[in-house]
Amino acid sequence: MVKQIHSSPVPWWRRVIQSVWLFPAVVVAGLIILTVLRLSGSSVGYYRYVTAQTGADTNLVSGTIRPVRSDEWLVNTQLILAQQKAGWPRTNVDVGNGQDMSIVADVPYREWSVAFKPQNLAFFVMPVEYAFAFKWWLLLAALLISAYFFALELVPKHRLYAIGAALVVSINPFIFWWYQTITIAPIVYVLTMSIVIMRLWRTRHTWVRISLSVLLVYLAAAFALIMYPPFQIPCALAMAVLLIGYGIETYTEADQRQFWLNFIYITGAGLMAGIIALVFIKTRPDAVAAITHTVYPGKRLVTSGGYNLVLLFGNFMSSQLTNPLRAISLPHNQSEASNFILVAPYLVLPSLYFIVTAWRKHHHIDWMLLGVNAMYVVLVARMVLPWPNLPYRLLLLQYVPPERILIGLGVLGFMQLVLIYRHLIAFKPTRSPLVMLLAGGSALAVTLLVGERFHRHYPGYMPEIWLIVLLASVVAVSAAFIVWRRTAVLGVFILAGISIYSANGVMPLYRGLAVLTDSAVIKMLESTPATSRIAVNNSVVFENFPLLAGRQTITGVEEYPQLSLWKPISDSAASQKVYNRFAHITLVIGPKRGFSLLGGDHFAVELAGCDPYIAQHLDYILSAEAINSPCLVPSDSVSYPNQTLTLYHVISAPTP
C-alpha cells in the first residue's frame, strides 16, 4: 500500500513575500501615501527665502530647497498653476499673444494628445496639489517598476537582483538632479517598449500579437511626444542595440515564419506611432515652425569631444553635490555635474571575456551583451574624443550635446548589469576570481586615480582623502561582486546603496503649493480687473506671477518665440537674434529702447515708462524696485522683510 504524502499549504505571508508583485505593490503604496499627504520634491519653497519670510517653513517636511533646479520651481511648476488658472487650455492666451502649451512645456491641457502624456491626466480628476504630488512620484514609481520588470524579462524569478538593478537606475544623482518628465519618461518608455517588443517577438498567439501591438503603438507615440531629442536619442540607441541583439538570438532559435510575422507586427506598430506623432506635429504648424527656426536652441548641432573624463569617471563622488559650498568648486552647476552611479566602464572587459568564453565553449554569441557594451564605448568616445561628425550622423548624435549623452550611458549601464547576470546564470563561466580581480582591480585603480585628480584640481569639492578611498573601495567591491554568480545580488545592492546615498538630500520633501497659491503678491494681482495685462519689471523670480493670477503678460517664460510680439519694438536682424529663442523674458524700465541678451535663454525688453508700446500692451507693471515715470503710478504694494513689491498702474503720458 502506497502512503500518500500531502504537502502542507504555503502560508499566505510567504506567498506575499515570494510574489513578483510585492515590489510594485510597495512602490504604488508609496505613491498613494505621498499623494494623500500632498508631498513632492519641489523646491517651490524657495519663495520664502526670496522674500525673507520669518519663522520656520512648516511645509518643508525634510531636506533642503534647491534654487539651482529653476526648471522645476520657476518654470514647470508655475506653468502648471497657470494652466489651472486658465482652465487647462491647449493655447494659453495669457502668454504673450497666445502660446501652444502642448509642444515644449510639460503641463496639462485639454486636447486628444494629452492621452499620450499620462503623467498629466490626474490634474483633470484631482485637486491641483494632490495631482501635482501624484505626478511627481508617478515618474519615479514608473521608472522603478519598468526597470524591475525589464530585469525580470531577462532574468526571470530573480526578484532580488531585479530590485537592486531597478534601484540603481532609478535613485541616483542624475535622475534626482534632473528630475522632470523629459529625463525620466524616455527611460521608462524605452524599458517598457523593450519588454513589449521582446514578448511580441516570442509569441505565437494572434490575440497576444494584437494586444501587444496596440500597447506598443501607445508607448512609441508617447515616447515620440516627449519632444526632447537630446535625451530621447541616447535612450533610443540603447534600446535599439538591445533589441537588435535580441532579434538575432530569436531568429536563430525560433520558427522563422513566426519571427517575420512578429516583425511585421512590430514594424506596423512603429509606423502607426509615427503617424500619430506626424498628426501631432501637423496640427500645430505655427508653433512647430517657430521652434525649429529659433536662434536658441536652434538646430543645436554639436561636434564630438570636449567632455571631461575626470568628471565622467568621478560619479562615485556625487554625494558631495548636495553641499553647495563644495559643489561651487566644480566647473558646472550641480545638475550638469550629476551622473549615474554605475560601474559600466569596469565591466566592459569582463563582458568581453564572458562573450568570448561562451563562444569558445558553447558556440553561442551573447549579442545583447555585445551590443550594449559596444554602444557604451561608442557613446563615451563621442563624449570625449574630437572625432569627425560624419559617422555619428548615422546615429543622430549631432543633435545631442555631450553632457546629455550621460542618460544613454545610464540606460546602457543598467542593461549591462542585467545582461551580465543573465549571462552568469545561463553559462556559469569559470575563472571567477580572475574576472573579479579584473573588474574590481580596474575599478579601484581608476577611481583612486580620478579621486586624486579631483582632490588636486577641485580641492574644495572633495578635501577628505579617506572618503575618496572609502567610496572608491565600495565601487570596486561592487564591480568585483557583480561578475560572480554567487555574489552578484550582493554586488548590485552595494551599488544601489552608494547610489541611494549619493542621491539622498537632492530633493526636499515639500507639502503642497500654498507658497504660490496663497501668495499675497498673487492675490494683489488678482484684485486687478480680469482683463488686465501685467508685466514684471527687472525680476526673473516673479516673472510668471501674472500668469498665476490669471492675467495676460508679455514677461515670463516663452517656450517658443512670438516674433509678432516683439517686432513692433525692433525688427532688425540684430534684435531678432536676441528675441528669436526659447527664453525667460524680463522687462526693464529705463532710458533705452530695444533688446539685450542676458544669457542663452534670457533676454531683456528695455523700454521707457512712457513708451507707446507699454501703453498699448500693458495695464500694470509689478516691480520690486522703485520706478520714476509719469506714466506709471503706484496703485498697490506688498511688503516683505527684505523688499516691497509695488504694482504700478499704466496711464497715458501727460500732455506737455
Side-chain angles (χ1 to χ4, degrees):
M1 184 174 180
V2 178
K3 189 175 182 179
Q4 291 185 340
I5 300 176
H6 299 282
S7 59
S8 57
V10 179
W12 67 267
W13 56 267
R14 180 170 294 176
R15 292 199 302 270
V16 170
I17 292 175
Q18 294 175 346
S19 172
V20 72
W21 296 102
L22 177 61
F23 178 70
V26 171
V27 173
V28 171
L31 168 64
I32 294 171
I33 292 170
L34 291 167
T35 299
V36 170
L37 296 176
R38 296 178 292 122
L39 294 175
S40 72
S42 174
S43 289
V44 73
Y46 180 60
Y47 279 95
R48 286 186 56 88
Y49 298 89
V50 169
T51 53
Q53 297 179 44
T54 57
D57 186 351
T58 57
N59 289 319
L60 181 60
V61 177
S62 67
T64 304
I65 298 297
R66 300 294 176 187
V68 71
R69 298 203 65 244
S70 58
D71 282 351
E72 180 269 310
W73 62 264
L74 180 60
V75 181
N76 290 336
T77 299
Q78 295 189 31
L79 290 182
I80 288 172
L81 293 177
Q83 282 292 95
Q84 181 210 20
K85 199 72 177 180
W88 313 114
R90 192 189 108 183
T91 300
N92 193 325
V93 296
D94 291 335
V95 184
N97 288 333
Q99 183 158 275
D100 193 321
M101 306 301 290
S102 67
I103 300 286
V104 180
D106 178 35
V107 296
Y109 57 90
R110 295 187 185 276
E111 197 231 24
W112 65 269
S113 61
V114 79
F116 296 94
K117 302 180 181 184
Q119 71 276 7
N120 289 322
L121 296 178
F123 289 96
F124 305 124
V125 296
M126 295 183 187
V128 67
E129 288 189 332
Y130 293 93
F132 183 80
F134 179 81
K135 173 184 177 178
W136 190 279
W137 299 114
L138 176 65
L139 294 172
L140 181 59
L143 182 54
L144 283 164
I145 293 172
S146 62
Y148 169 74
F149 280 113
F150 174 89
L152 285 180
E153 189 69 21
L154 293 171
V155 288
K157 299 182 180 180
H158 293 269
R159 292 178 296 108
L160 278 180
Y161 194 89
I163 292 171
L167 291 173
V168 170
V169 76
S170 303
I171 305 177
N172 55 71
F174 185 89
I175 293 296
F176 276 32
W177 281 110
W178 282 98
Y179 199 93
Q180 54 186 322
T181 301
I182 62 170
T183 308
I184 298 175
I187 305 177
V188 171
Y189 288 128
V190 156
L191 297 180
T192 311
M193 283 190 290
S194 297
I195 296 171
V196 171
I197 292 173
M198 285 189 285
R199 293 197 170 193
L200 186 52
W201 233 324
R202 293 197 309 266
T203 188
R204 293 173 174 270
H205 303 288
T206 301
W207 69 270
V208 175
R209 287 192 189 97
I210 295 172
S211 301
L212 291 176
S213 296
V214 171
L215 179 56
L216 182 58
V217 170
Y218 177 83
L219 294 170
F223 176 78
L225 296 193
I226 294 170
M227 304 288 284
Y228 192 70
F231 280 160
Q232 290 171 284
I233 291 171
C235 291
L237 290 175
M239 178 178 67
V241 293
L242 177 93
L243 293 178
I244 289 171
Y246 188 84
I248 294 173
E249 292 186 9
T250 306
Y251 181 79
T252 57
E253 297 172 2
D255 182 338
Q256 293 187 12
R257 178 181 174 278
Q258 294 291 335
F259 173 89
W260 288 113
L261 181 60
N262 292 338
F263 180 78
I264 290 171
Y265 273 83
I266 294 169
T267 305
L271 291 174
M272 287 297 298
I275 291 172
I276 293 172
L278 184 62
V279 170
F280 177 84
I281 292 171
K282 291 297 183 181
T283 52
R284 37 206 35 87
D286 294 339
V288 171
I291 292 169
T292 54
H293 292 86
T294 56
V295 174
Y296 176 86
K299 292 187 177 180
R300 211 173 195 173
L301 299 178
V302 294
T303 57
S304 295
Y307 197 85
N308 192 327
L309 263 178
V310 173
L311 293 177
L312 178 62
F313 286 91
N315 55 48
F316 68 99
M317 295 180 285
S318 294
S319 59
Q320 304 306 302
L321 292 174
T322 55
N323 186 337
L325 298 179
R326 293 192 172 195
I328 200 172
S329 304
L330 298 178
H332 307 295
N333 65 39
Q334 290 142 298
S335 296
E336 296 288 350
S338 63
N339 198 350
F340 293 85
I341 308 298
L342 290 170
V343 291
Y346 320 116
L347 302 183
V348 172
L349 291 179
S351 295
L352 292 178
Y353 170 77
F354 291 149
I355 292 167
V356 171
T357 53
W359 168 250
R360 292 176 62 184
K361 292 183 178 181
H362 306 283
H363 299 288
H364 176 91
I365 298 178
D366 192 334
W367 289 104
M368 285 191 286
L369 186 59
L370 178 62
V372 163
N373 280 278
M375 183 56 70
Y376 190 92
V377 172
V378 168
L379 293 187
V380 170
R382 169 68 177 179
M383 293 177 68
V384 301
L385 299 176
W387 287 356
N389 240 11
L390 184 60
Y392 292 109
R393 287 182 178 274
L394 299 175
L395 304 177
L396 302 179
L397 287 172
Q398 70 272 23
Y399 301 113
V400 185
E403 61 275 11
R404 299 293 184 266
I405 292 178
L406 289 173
I407 193 171
L409 298 184
V411 175
L412 288 165
F414 163 71
M415 291 177 173
Q416 183 196 56
L417 287 177
V418 177
L419 291 171
I420 283 178
Y421 191 64
R422 173 179 179 261
H423 192 98
L424 293 175
I425 295 169
F427 297 103
K428 300 179 177 59
T430 56
R431 299 186 180 178
S432 296
L434 292 178
V435 182
M436 293 177 72
L437 181 62
L438 176 61
S442 62
L444 184 62
V446 172
T447 50
L448 287 177
L449 177 62
V450 169
E452 186 275 331
R453 294 289 180 90
F454 253 96
H455 183 71
R456 186 174 0 132
H457 294 293
Y458 313 115
Y461 180 74
M462 184 64 88
E464 302 93 348
I465 296 180
W466 67 268
L467 185 57
I468 295 175
V469 174
L470 175 62
L471 293 174
S473 300
V474 172
V475 170
V477 169
S478 69
F481 281 10
I482 284 168
V483 296
W484 188 26
R485 170 69 180 84
R486 295 180 182 179
T487 57
V489 173
L490 178 58
V492 81
F493 271 96
I494 292 174
L495 187 59
I498 190 173
S499 184
I500 294 170
Y501 165 74
S502 301
N504 180 46
V506 173
M507 294 191 298
L509 268 182
Y510 201 84
R511 182 185 297 108
L513 299 169
V515 68
L516 289 176
T517 56
D518 294 344
S519 166
V521 177
I522 292 175
K523 292 185 182 302
M524 176 177 67
L525 300 182
E526 289 175 335
S527 69
T528 63
T531 57
S532 297
R533 301 162 298 174
I534 306 174
V536 179
N537 177 58
N538 209 15
S539 172
V540 174
V541 175
F542 297 102
E543 64 181 5
N544 293 314
F545 273 36
L547 293 176
L548 302 186
R551 301 299 184 264
Q552 188 177 7
T553 185
I554 62 171
T555 53
V557 179
E558 208 173 67
E559 298 282 355
Y560 58 86
Q562 300 185 27
L563 303 184
S564 62
L565 189 63
W566 307 119
K567 283 184 177 181
I569 299 175
S570 174
D571 63 353
S572 68
S575 294
Q576 291 193 42
K577 283 186 178 180
V578 174
Y579 59 69
N580 185 18
R581 64 184 61 235
F582 160 86
H584 297 263
I585 301 166
T586 300
L587 175 66
V588 177
I589 301 297
K592 298 181 180 179
R593 190 176 202 269
F595 303 92
S596 61
L597 192 60
L598 305 178
D601 61 352
H602 187 195
F603 70 84
V605 183
E606 300 173 325
L607 297 169
C610 291
D611 193 290
Y613 186 90
I614 288 182
Q616 181 183 355
H617 289 82
L618 297 173
D619 300 302
Y620 295 91
I621 293 176
L622 177 68
S623 180
E625 57 187 42
I627 300 176
N628 183 17
S629 171
C631 299
L632 303 177
V633 179
S635 65
D636 203 351
S637 65
V638 172
S639 294
Y640 292 106
N642 65 338
Q643 61 185 311
T644 296
L645 284 94
T646 302
L647 186 63
Y648 290 86
H649 185 45
V650 178
I651 63 173
S652 301
T655 305

